[in-house]
Amino acid sequence: MRVMAAAVTAAALAAAAMPAATAARADDAEVERLVRQHVQPMLIAAGGMAVAVHIDGRTLFFNYGMADMARKEPITSDSLFNLASVGKVFLATLLAQAVERGEVALDDPVAKYVTELQQGGDIRKVTLGELATHTSGLTRTPQQYEPAHRGPYKLPDFIRYLNSWEADDAHVPGKQDIYSNTGFVLLSLALQRRFNTPIAKLMEARLTSPLGMSSTVMPVPTANARGQLAGAFRRRAVQGYNFDAQPVGAPGNQQGVFNWPGTGQMYSSARDMATFLAANLGALPNERPLQEAMALAQQGVFTVTQALAWQVVRNGDVTFVDKNGGLSNTATYIGMIPQKRLGIVVLSNCGREPATRIGRQIMLALARSPALLSEDGRQGD
């Protein structure tokens, strides 16, 4: 499958026009070669990937394959992808920002804000910080605790389950790392209650709008369900495919067992995600308070491997700070090597693509490429 498009930021284009830009253009070609080398063998018969690489203070975009096979629409840097669990890092950033502002504390019990839980049992011991670090003890989904439940969880079902939840020896709050979608849905609800604002509006006002991320959106709520993308955004959303190259749902498809307003997945483009990545790498000097919240979200809280939503993974002398996501029709990844000021976004409209492995391999290759190192052995400033 061939590269459908590749673009660089305006800053990179301006640099290319300068007399001393020959080395920069060579660097860009090397980045493109390494990205293509790791992406193309993974592409299947349907769908494709949008990739954004932040390196040496600039962002490069690479797009492969089709947003919609039937309509023969190629993926672009402005195509919208379901972020799946990568959306958790946005929620963790909202929490970190509120902590930095003194509006909440990581050790606040969630029942302080979701007051229906004040009459519950063990759920009253769970804190906001434990929800954000997957250390609450809550299972990945409620059905793992109550398998007899049938159908989606509406908000009353969710509150009933939480109040009945009991922590056994393997699920003690603050004692172990158990990946929990349940915990992040509860964290979202707590933030909505704390600020008396729907999570989509809170996200826009505090995070995406200040960063100029106009293509990062959540479903428009309906009265009794998670909602759907607004029409203008839905038209830009990619068609999702499974690993057998079959379409799954319509563009803008929402998945999951939680079904009330505010529980849908986020959508974003490679261009918007590149802005979020740059901010997390401290590359946006005009957004200092928000970047301080992002730095807090990247710090290990429970163990050296789990921060607020972000994972901290060590590979020899390299430390990744990253997050992945996946559904039956999407695979996503955002990752950084902070000490190299290097990062990547990988968005695929095919479920089960190894986006995490691809992203980490590309970053390692870039970090160790002689063509991308300055004379003193570091990536150029």
Side-chain angles (χ1 to χ4, degrees), residues 36 63 91 127 164 188 350:
R36 186 178 66 252
N63 300 296
L91 195 60
T127 68
S164 66
S188 174
C350 176

Side-chain angles (χ1 to χ4, degrees), residues 247 280 369 374:
N280 273 277
S369 172
S374 61

Side-chain angles (χ1 to χ4, degrees), residues 56 59 89 162 226 306:
D56 197 18
T59 299
V89 297
L162 291 170
R226 63 170 65 96
Q306 183 63 60

Side-chain angles (χ1 to χ4, degrees), residues 22 24 46 89 148 164 187 278 332 346 349 352 360:
T22 302
V89 297
S164 66
L187 176 61
T332 57
V346 179
N349 59 338
R352 291 176 53 200
R360 289 176 181 170

